[in-house]
Amino acid sequence: MRKSFIMAVAAIAITFTAQANAAEMVFTSWGGTTQDAQKAAWAEKFTAETNTNVLQDGPTDYGKIKAMVESGNVSWDVVDVEGDYAVQAGNKGMLEKLDFSVIDKSKLDPRFVTDYSVGSFYYSFVIGFNADAVGAEGPKTWADLFDTTKFPGKRTFYKWSAPGVIEAALLADGVTPDKLYPLDLDRAFKKLDTIKKDIIWWSGGAQSQQLLASAEAPYGMFWNGRLTALKATGVNVGESWEQNITAADALVVPKSAKNRDLAMKFIALATSAKGQAEMATATGYAPVNTESGQLMDAALRKTLPDQQATSQVNADMRYWAEHRDEIGERWYAWQAK
């Protein structure tokens, strides 16, 4: 009896010691269903494979990244950011160069690879509407979404200065995709002025889903994966992929991150064929690994953004990185009017 007790105590001690010795890192993303999927597809798998506790934080905040890097007190190790920000931050020396001896970039979509970042997932901005609130015939084109006579009521758009809304306004005004860049901001804001009083802004994916589900804003512009998730809850969502505007989030490591080596290994797993396939299956976003499709259900695969190429419009991440600050200054001044 005494021997069994001693052995039990020893086992508990070993467990606590192992937990105490486990490595630890922090992954930061945007929250909601997207981060839930990243946690399941990447973080939990990484913990199982490396005995590393992956702590979750968020939402992503570019001001916090800047403050951390400038102070030298960096508490985030891997961060999911928007693609244009990744390019800009890398150019400004705010990110660690990625170790491509650890991360295999040979199978990654080259559109989403830089020295400082790799794609996290590939998404499209699409038109969505609440079919129970407005009927089965909702807006099909960006011009429709800007037509308050044909489709009266509130519509919702992404609040922050980023690729998407400016392009949608120009497309709605008749600009062809091959003539979008450089962005004609005067023309875009003039078009946005026509519906400004009818816009409810969403600042995160979960809020966009709530606005649509409640029909507070029965139409709008959404990340395609958020509509996929909303449909899964039983909401009668209509959508249009006409001129869907594509972009990608990116995974980055802030400069002087405390767990740089672990961060590189985490990104390697997250961008692996299996890691990307599991993420895409859970979210409806497309994988950035070109071999992931072989691991996915064929029917599901056909519903992802990279399979909706007929009228697809690719947002220019490098243009946005170069002009991000000046566009943002004008964007927020316009919103405040």
Side-chain angles (χ1 to χ4, degrees), residues 33 46 79 105 125 133 137 162 205-206 218 222 229 232 247 250 253 262 286 300 315 326:
T33 54
F46 190 71
V79 188
K105 69 176 181 178
F125 278 110
E137 294 300 318
F222 302 88
V253 179
L262 284 172
L300 172 64
E326 64 190 78

Side-chain angles (χ1 to χ4, degrees), residues 173-255:
D173 203 42
V175 177
T176 58
D178 61 321
K179 300 296 184 183
L180 273 177
Y181 301 97
L183 295 172
D184 185 339
L185 296 182
D186 289 340
R187 184 170 178 176
F189 284 114
K190 184 177 180 180
K191 187 65 175 178
L192 283 163
D193 278 336
T194 65
I195 61 167
K196 188 174 184 180
K197 64 182 178 59
D198 295 302
I199 296 176
I200 299 177
W201 301 102
W202 57 268
S203 57
Q207 184 184 14
S208 74
Q209 292 169 311
Q210 292 163 3
L211 288 167
L212 189 63
S214 68
E216 183 179 352
Y219 326 97
M221 177 187 211
F222 302 88
W223 292 322
N224 74 280
R226 292 294 179 164
L227 294 186
T228 299
L230 198 56
K231 287 179 193 175
T233 68
V235 178
N236 189 7
V237 176
E239 66 182 327
S240 172
W241 287 85
E242 182 69 23
Q243 289 189 327
N244 63 96
I245 301 168
T246 67
D249 266 24
L251 297 174
V252 301
V253 179
K255 191 74 173 178

Side-chain angles (χ1 to χ4, degrees), residues 101-123:
S101 69
V102 176
I103 302 163
D104 182 5
K105 69 176 181 178
S106 67
K107 302 298 190 297
L108 303 183
D109 188 324
R111 291 178 299 169
F112 311 129
V113 177
T114 74
D115 288 345
Y116 300 93
S117 63
V118 290
S120 173
F121 55 86
Y122 165 26
Y123 61 90

Side-chain angles (χ1 to χ4, degrees), residues 88 92 161 320-330:
Q88 184 190 61
K92 288 186 174 182
S161 174
W320 269 89
E322 184 178 348
H323 299 280
R324 184 182 181 91
D325 293 339
E326 64 190 78
I327 295 173
E329 183 176 347
R330 185 161 178 184

Side-chain angles (χ1 to χ4, degrees), residues 49-67:
E49 290 185 13
T50 67
N51 193 34
T52 300
N53 294 324
V54 182
L55 305 179
Q56 301 290 313
D57 203 355
T60 295
D61 185 314
Y62 302 144
K64 285 186 180 180
I65 295 175
K66 184 173 186 291

Side-chain angles (χ1 to χ4, degrees), residues 3 20 33 39 98 141 155 199 217-218 267 269 285 299 305 313 329:
K3 183 178 180 181
T33 54
K39 179 181 178 183
L98 298 185
T141 67
R155 47 263 288 138
I199 296 176
I267 292 174
L269 182 148
Y285 296 126
V313 179
E329 183 176 347

